[in-house]
């Protein structure tokens, strides 16, 4: 049965093992029965014949046996109260620990320690408080280091997997981000048994944004400790964590991860969304593209095509946020529309193709420019390639250039024209052209040979290459197509 997790701003004081208290030589404590691996949460001293009503559980109960008349019954009541261990002080009432008390503790599994006459009970209590303070300081330091690690991960190029990886590393387990439908969107850390994976998915289904649902829950499955946390933003995302054990500060560490993941996966909304939706509605209702684009702003605009990312559903949104635009198509490839004044720089993990600035009526041409720039970037293994300006070709009247291009390129099909464009842009490299077009290098050779035959030109001649390159550029910028050609 999943148990809702309590909220906690700081980790509570962690318990201390009895073994750590026994290791303090100045106390002179001696274990007479039970295990030294029990956890002590506090110390309580009582000389009541029945201390049961005054115990909370988890304490080291200290007594000198002033009213100890029935050791067996006394130990039974201490165990029923949930005390972690019993400390018995010899003198002034007893010179040694009663054998019946030792036997009862052995039988019921209650750890029993002997406190020598030279050690006051307050010294034992003070030593335990000091150990707990040291443990709390260690836990606070661990939580602080984990918070810094998570914040650093959130600033990396692939922030969502990085945060999950940092969380899994700090907790020594597995961290999973579940989508609204319960499937794994991303995960990091060590693999867990199938039983634990199923139990974690089930636990993640318990929490969520529904009214009255818990924000977090914990449970067990497959021999592991499980916890699930609903992310903010109302998109139904859930963080699941599976670990071998649960430390007091783990809930705090997971809470930091929840905040970061909520910010990283939340949709960016605001005035930009209204403008985008307005433009989309106008296009769907048949408005002129220039009129619809006007709803987004005066322009001009830059189109960016991108491939890469971290493989998560949030990669495109993270790239759009990095480039400062809400206008993104997740693709593939990812396509983004940016105001022309926006600086486009390399983005780690991404390959980008960037168009020249264009007005609303020239956005389709800019989209084609960005696509070609991306292909060139992939072929040359460059992180970013920009569409190059037309240079000297701009000195020629566009209409005359387009008419010349139609004549020169008439024998070619669109596929052949694009092959020629790519091959020329890559300086006649068979391998790079094959990569850019995603075809075999022999296919490139065959197409170029066929193109040379159709054009009746020597493609090794630099003057011919220059003329064809200008023709291809003039035909593209004018929006003209090539002829049907004579096949591929």
């Amino acid at each position: 049965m999943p148990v809702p997790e309590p909220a906690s701003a700081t980790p509570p004081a962690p318990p201390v093992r009895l073994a750590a208290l026994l290791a303090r030589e100045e106390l002179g404590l001696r274990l007479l029965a039970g295990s030294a691996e029990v956890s002590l949460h506090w110390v309580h001293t009582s000389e009541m014949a029945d201390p049961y009503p005054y115990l909370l559980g988890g304490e080291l109960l200290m007594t000198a046996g002033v009213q100890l008349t029935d050791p067996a019954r006394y130990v039974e009541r201490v165990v029923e109260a949930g005390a972690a261990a019993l400390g018995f002080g010899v003198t002034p009432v007893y010179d040694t620990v009663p054998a019946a008390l030792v036997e009862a503790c052995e039988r019921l599994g209650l750890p029993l320690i002997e406190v020598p006459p030279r050690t006051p009970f307050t010294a034992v209590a003070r030593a335990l408080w000091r150990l707990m303070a040291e443990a709390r300081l260690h836990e606070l330091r661990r939580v602080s280091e984990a918070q810094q690690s998570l914040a650093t991960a959130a600033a990396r190029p692939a922030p969502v997997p990085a945060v999950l990886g940092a969380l899994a590393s700090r907790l020594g387990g597995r961290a999973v981000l579940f989508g609204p439908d319960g499937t794994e969107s991303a995960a990091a850390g060590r693999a867990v048994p199938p039983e634990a994976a199923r139990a974690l998915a089930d636990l993640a289904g318990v929490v969520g944004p529904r009214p009255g649902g818990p924000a977090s829950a914990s449970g067990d499955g497959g021999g592991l400790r499980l916890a699930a946390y609903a992310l903010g933003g109302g998109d139904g995302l859930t963080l699941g964590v599976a670990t071998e054990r649960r430390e007091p500060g783990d809930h705090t560490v997971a809470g930091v991860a929840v905040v970061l993941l909520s910010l990283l996966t939340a949709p960016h909304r605001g005035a930009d969304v209204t403008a985008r939706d307005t433009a989309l509605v106008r296009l769907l209702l048949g408005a002129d593209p220039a009129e619809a684009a006007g709803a987004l702003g005066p322009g001009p605009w830059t189109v960016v095509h991108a491939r890469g990312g971290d493989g998560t559903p949030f990669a495109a949104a993270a790239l759009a946020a990095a480039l400062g635009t809400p206008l993104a198509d997740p693709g593939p490839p990812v396509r983004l529309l940016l105001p022309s004044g926006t600086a486009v720089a390399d983005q780690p993990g991404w390959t980008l193709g960037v168009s020249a600035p264009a007005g609303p009526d020239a956005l389709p041409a800019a989209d084609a420019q960005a696509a070609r720039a991306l292909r060139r970037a992939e072929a040359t293994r460059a992180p970013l390639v920009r569409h190059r300006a037309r240079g000297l070709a701009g000195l020629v009247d566009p209409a005359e250039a387009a008419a010349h291009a139609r004549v020169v390129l008439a024998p070619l099909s669109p596929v052949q024209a694009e092959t020629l464009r790519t091959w020329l842009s890559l300086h006649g490299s068979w391998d790079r052209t094959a990569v850019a077009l995603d075809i075999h290098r022999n296919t490139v050779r065959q197409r170029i040979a066929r193109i040379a035959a159709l054009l009746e030109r020597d493609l090794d001649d630099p003057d011919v290459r220059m003329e064809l390159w200008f023709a291809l550029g003039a035909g593209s910028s004018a929006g003209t197509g090539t002829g049907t050609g004579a096949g591929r």
Side-chain angles (χ1 to χ4, degrees):
M1 177 70 179
V3 179
E5 288 277 355
S8 175
T10 59
V16 173
R17 299 288 184 187
L18 176 58
L21 195 62
L22 293 171
R24 303 296 290 262
E25 295 181 358
E26 72 276 11
L27 298 177
L29 304 178
R30 189 161 64 98
L31 183 66
L32 303 180
S35 170
E37 295 306 310
V38 296
S39 297
L40 306 178
H41 292 264
W42 42 72
V43 175
H44 179 66
T45 300
S46 175
E47 296 300 339
M48 303 294 294
D50 181 9
Y52 179 95
Y54 308 98
L55 301 180
L56 296 176
E59 57 269 280
L60 169 62
L61 174 63
M62 308 286 290
T63 182
V66 174
Q67 299 191 57
L68 182 66
T69 57
D70 186 350
R73 178 59 180 166
Y74 182 86
V75 172
E76 288 177 359
R77 294 291 285 169
V78 171
V79 172
E80 288 176 7
L86 177 63
F88 194 87
V90 293
T91 67
V93 182
Y94 291 87
D95 294 331
T96 61
V97 180
L101 185 67
V102 176
E103 188 278 330
C105 287
E106 283 281 13
R107 178 169 48 84
L108 295 178
L110 178 68
L112 173 65
I113 60 173
E114 178 189 74
V115 184
R118 64 180 174 83
T119 303
F121 286 175
T122 53
V124 177
R126 183 174 59 185
L128 181 62
W129 301 141
R130 286 178 175 174
L131 288 171
M132 293 183 71
E134 292 173 1
R136 178 173 174 77
L137 180 61
H138 172 77
E139 189 68 4
L140 286 171
R141 185 179 296 113
R142 183 180 76 91
V143 170
S144 177
E145 292 174 352
Q147 291 173 334
Q148 294 176 6
S149 176
L150 290 168
T152 300
R156 290 176 182 164
V160 172
V163 169
L164 291 175
L167 179 63
S169 175
R170 289 292 174 175
L171 300 187
R174 184 168 181 80
V176 181
L177 186 61
F178 292 98
D181 58 355
T183 59
E184 288 192 10
S185 295
R190 64 184 64 175
V192 299
E195 180 184 349
R198 289 192 296 269
L200 185 60
D202 292 341
L203 189 65
V206 173
V207 302
R210 66 184 184 283
S216 61
S218 62
D220 299 282
L224 299 176
R225 306 298 300 274
L226 310 176
Y229 307 85
L231 268 60
D235 291 331
L237 300 176
T238 306
L239 171 65
V241 178
T243 56
E244 293 183 356
R245 59 184 181 277
R246 184 174 300 157
E247 301 296 339
D250 288 355
H251 185 63
T252 303
V253 174
V256 174
V258 167
V259 172
L260 292 173
L261 290 171
S262 297
L263 293 173
L264 292 170
T265 59
H268 300 278
R269 300 188 182 276
D272 289 335
V273 176
T274 301
R276 179 181 60 191
D277 292 347
T278 299
L280 179 59
V281 169
R282 290 183 182 179
L283 280 174
L284 292 175
L285 295 179
D288 180 80
E291 177 190 345
L296 299 175
W301 300 88
T302 299
V303 180
V304 177
H305 282 212
R307 291 190 193 275
D310 54 35
T312 69
F314 320 106
L319 176 63
L323 294 178
T325 179
L327 306 174
D329 170 14
V334 179
R335 299 195 301 172
L336 307 104
L337 189 60
L338 289 69
S340 63
T342 304
V344 183
D346 295 359
Q347 299 297 320
W350 290 93
T351 301
L352 306 180
V354 184
S355 77
D361 57 342
L363 286 178
D367 185 57
Q369 293 173 359
R372 290 196 296 271
L374 176 60
R375 289 198 296 270
R376 182 174 178 83
E378 292 176 323
T380 58
R381 296 181 175 85
L384 184 150
V385 168
R386 303 178 189 275
H387 175 74
R388 287 184 279 194
R390 298 178 61 223
L392 292 174
L395 300 176
V396 181
D397 179 73
E400 293 183 6
H404 177 70
R406 282 194 293 269
V407 173
V408 172
L409 303 176
L412 303 184
S413 70
V415 172
Q416 291 168 336
E418 185 61 26
T419 301
L420 178 60
R421 185 197 312 277
T422 305
W423 183 72
L424 290 174
S425 72
L426 297 173
H427 310 291
S429 170
W430 310 111
D431 292 330
R432 291 182 178 181
T433 304
V435 171
L437 297 178
D438 194 24
I439 58 178
H440 195 275
R441 67 193 307 271
N442 290 342
T443 304
V444 176
R445 287 182 176 274
Q446 294 168 4
R447 287 186 184 178
I448 295 300
R450 179 60 176 162
I451 290 169
L454 290 172
L455 297 178
E456 298 181 349
R457 299 194 180 211
D458 180 7
L459 299 186
D460 291 330
D461 187 330
D463 290 334
V464 172
R465 289 193 182 192
M466 181 178 65
E467 181 185 0
L468 292 175
W469 180 252
F470 284 151
L472 288 165
S476 174
S477 61
T480 60
T482 59
T484 57
R488 302 183 65 178

